[in-house]
Amino acid sequence: MTRGKLTLAEVLEVFAGGRMSLRFTAYDGSSAGPLDAPFRVELKTPRGTTYLATGFGDLGLARAYIAGDLDIHGVHPGDPYELLKTLADGLEFTRPPARMMADIVRSIGIEHLRPIAPPPQEVPPRWRRIAGGLRHSRTRDAEAIHHHYDVSNTFYEWVLGPSMTYTCACYPDPQASLDAAQENKYRLVFEKLRLKPGDRLLDVGCGWGGMVRYAARRGVRATGVTLSREQSAWAQRAIAEQGLGGLAEVRYGDYRDITESGFDAVSSIGLLEHIGVRNYSSYFRFLQSRMRPGGLLLNHCITRSDNRTAPSARGFIDRYVFPDGELTGSGRIIAEAQNAGLEVLHEENLRPHYAMTLRDWCANLVEHWDDAVAEVGLPAAKVWGLYMAGSRLAFESGGIQLHQVLAARPDGRGGVDELPLRPWWTP
């Protein structure tokens, strides 16, 4: 390739080292990649070039796509999994030599290297969120939860299905439906906690109250708490409609505001990701203080594959999906639980199950795409398709995992309730 002005397609080929696994076309009339590629990416506007040139990592691509400056062809926007898999498997960007970079800058134009306002769906960078309080302060946590969970209950009904469960399911077999797998997950948690009629359960970060209602239907007095107003309102209606008001309760508020104690069991299903690693110690100490001696705790959360990687999410996930979200390895979680005085009894990784869960959520989004777009708007619907398909790929590759950790609060003699010698639940 000779030096001089390059087309946008030629610029992409330089970064891709000439290896293109999809077809790329641009508004300047240029194109690159195999003519028979199953997927095509179309850069439609100069604004899209600016987003791509100024966004770090996956952020530029996400901005251009969400704003409508970049179109994808060959996959449904509600489930771009196959396109993302092709990109992950067959496209590896490299940094060109300095002399070539000068040609690239001249070709795309210096005006495209000046950052512009991102799409309105994007939250500010972390350093600008300080107005909402320090990271993982109560105020800022509430804002982060509102951003992600108060989208629309109707939208969530279409994506999650009748269970209204926004956490990893547990598939009893590969052919099981999403609803059956979510019911099986609640069954697994219920059995691990050895709950029985008359027991008291605290479910922190309870979402739409799925675990609370599952337990109440089996005679357990269950209290849930969520920081999402939309979730609490939906859960309270469901409890009333199902006649569970005598046993089930879902509150709007921070889990740290729970004053009752002496619970036989505590479940935390998908909350720890929002807590902040530096708060793990106080989190486990607080949950322990709500349990009776000998009570059981089940913590279910997304984890990293190691305990060394920085916990903070970056790029697309932090700015569009889970502001201030943090993940760490299961070893760090177990250590913090033990340091808080809990006895860890068992842990397991449900990673493949989350990939299957995300597959089924994407299928639901595709099925209800037109309604979803009408409810939340095309940009927001595209965020969800991109986020869920990308997360499925990450779970499949092992980049992120899902661990359940079962622990007990020792009694005054350092022991716990008499337990079976081996796991007592059905896998």
Side-chain angles (χ1 to χ4, degrees):
M1 185 179 298
T2 57
R3 292 182 62 197
K5 187 172 178 61
L6 308 175
T7 66
L8 292 170
E10 288 172 334
V11 169
L12 179 60
E13 285 186 304
V14 170
F15 281 104
R19 297 180 298 275
M20 295 284 291
S21 54
L22 50 75
R23 186 70 175 168
F24 172 80
T25 59
Y27 59 86
D28 66 353
S30 63
S31 60
L35 289 171
D36 60 350
F39 310 115
R40 179 167 64 90
V41 174
E42 178 187 6
L43 181 59
K44 299 169 63 178
T45 67
R47 183 178 65 174
T49 298
T50 302
Y51 280 143
L52 292 173
T54 58
F56 293 102
D58 59 4
L59 196 53
L61 183 67
R63 286 170 173 168
Y65 173 62
I66 292 163
D69 301 304
L70 188 77
D71 272 354
I72 58 176
H73 303 272
V75 292
H76 194 285
D79 186 10
Y81 166 80
E82 293 295 341
L83 171 61
L84 297 180
K85 191 173 189 300
T86 296
L87 290 172
D89 293 342
L91 196 60
E92 184 175 344
F93 288 107
T94 58
R95 183 175 179 82
R99 185 173 298 178
M100 180 61 73
M101 282 299 298
D103 289 340
I104 290 172
V105 170
R106 280 196 300 272
S107 298
I108 66 173
I110 193 70
E111 68 274 12
H112 291 303
L113 300 181
R114 300 188 184 99
I116 58 176
Q121 292 73 28
E122 182 173 316
V123 303
R126 290 190 177 214
W127 63 269
R128 286 183 55 196
R129 296 177 211 164
I130 194 68
L134 295 174
R135 192 188 312 173
H136 299 300
S137 64
R138 291 184 178 229
T139 301
R140 189 157 153 181
D141 278 351
E143 290 178 354
I145 294 299
H146 170 73
H147 172 82
H148 189 75
Y149 293 97
D150 288 342
V151 176
S152 158
N153 283 334
T154 301
F155 175 80
Y156 275 107
E157 287 172 352
W158 286 324
V159 173
L160 304 181
S163 74
M164 280 296 274
T165 301
Y166 187 33
T167 48
C168 175
C170 184
Y171 288 74
D173 60 74
Q175 287 72 45
S177 69
L178 173 63
D179 291 337
Q182 292 292 13
E183 182 81 358
N184 187 52
K185 184 267 297 297
Y186 288 133
R187 188 273 311 164
L188 179 63
V189 174
F190 189 91
E191 289 185 7
K192 284 184 174 181
L193 291 174
R194 302 193 80 204
L195 288 165
K196 60 186 184 300
D199 281 351
R200 296 174 62 222
L201 169 69
L202 172 63
D203 186 37
V204 293
C206 68
W208 289 270
M211 185 69 215
V212 168
R213 286 178 285 116
Y214 182 95
R217 287 194 294 269
R218 286 153 183 83
V220 172
R221 291 173 290 165
T223 299
V225 60
T226 173
L227 263 177
S228 166
R229 289 187 183 275
E230 292 285 334
Q231 287 181 333
S232 62
W234 191 98
Q236 288 160 8
R237 286 195 300 271
I239 288 170
E241 290 169 0
Q242 296 171 24
L244 299 172
L247 290 171
E249 176 189 11
V250 167
R251 304 173 186 173
Y252 166 68
D254 194 294
Y255 76 95
R256 291 163 287 196
D257 292 330
I258 294 291
T259 58
E260 299 95 322
S261 61
F263 287 94
D264 298 286
V266 174
S267 54
S268 176
I269 307 174
L271 174 63
L272 195 65
E273 299 92 332
H274 303 289
I275 294 296
V277 173
R278 72 166 184 254
N279 297 321
Y280 281 7
S281 178
S282 59
Y283 163 83
F284 282 114
R285 287 198 308 271
F286 179 84
L287 295 187
Q288 187 202 48
S289 73
R290 304 299 94 182
M291 300 160 61
R292 66 168 176 80
L296 296 174
L297 163 69
L298 190 287
N299 192 89
H300 166 122
C301 71
I302 302 171
T303 62
R304 295 198 185 277
S305 57
D306 63 69
N307 300 287
R308 302 181 304 274
T309 308
S312 297
R314 303 289 181 185
F316 168 68
I317 289 293
D318 180 58
R319 303 288 280 276
Y320 285 89
V321 185
F322 291 116
D324 292 337
E326 293 184 6
L327 303 178
T328 189
S330 59
R332 176 71 180 273
I333 294 168
I334 290 172
E336 294 285 2
Q338 291 172 327
N339 291 342
L342 293 164
E343 179 177 345
V344 173
L345 306 173
H346 184 271
E347 72 87 23
E348 65 174 311
N349 185 1
L350 300 179
R351 176 178 64 82
H353 295 264
Y354 219 152
M356 297 167 69
T357 305
L358 287 154
R359 174 202 64 194
D360 290 346
W361 286 343
C362 279
N364 284 343
L365 180 56
V366 169
E367 180 181 355
H368 298 283
W369 181 253
D370 291 342
D371 290 331
V373 169
E375 179 71 17
V376 301
L378 179 59
K382 289 164 75 172
V383 167
W384 275 80
L386 185 62
Y387 138 63
M388 293 193 297
S391 296
R392 174 186 171 186
L393 195 62
F395 278 106
E396 288 179 344
S397 68
I400 49 178
Q401 304 174 356
L402 188 289
H403 279 81
Q404 285 192 351
V405 175
L406 179 67
R409 175 182 175 177
D411 59 28
R413 301 180 301 279
V416 296
D417 286 354
E418 185 175 333
L419 299 175
L421 294 176
R422 299 292 298 160
W424 52 86
W425 56 88
T426 304

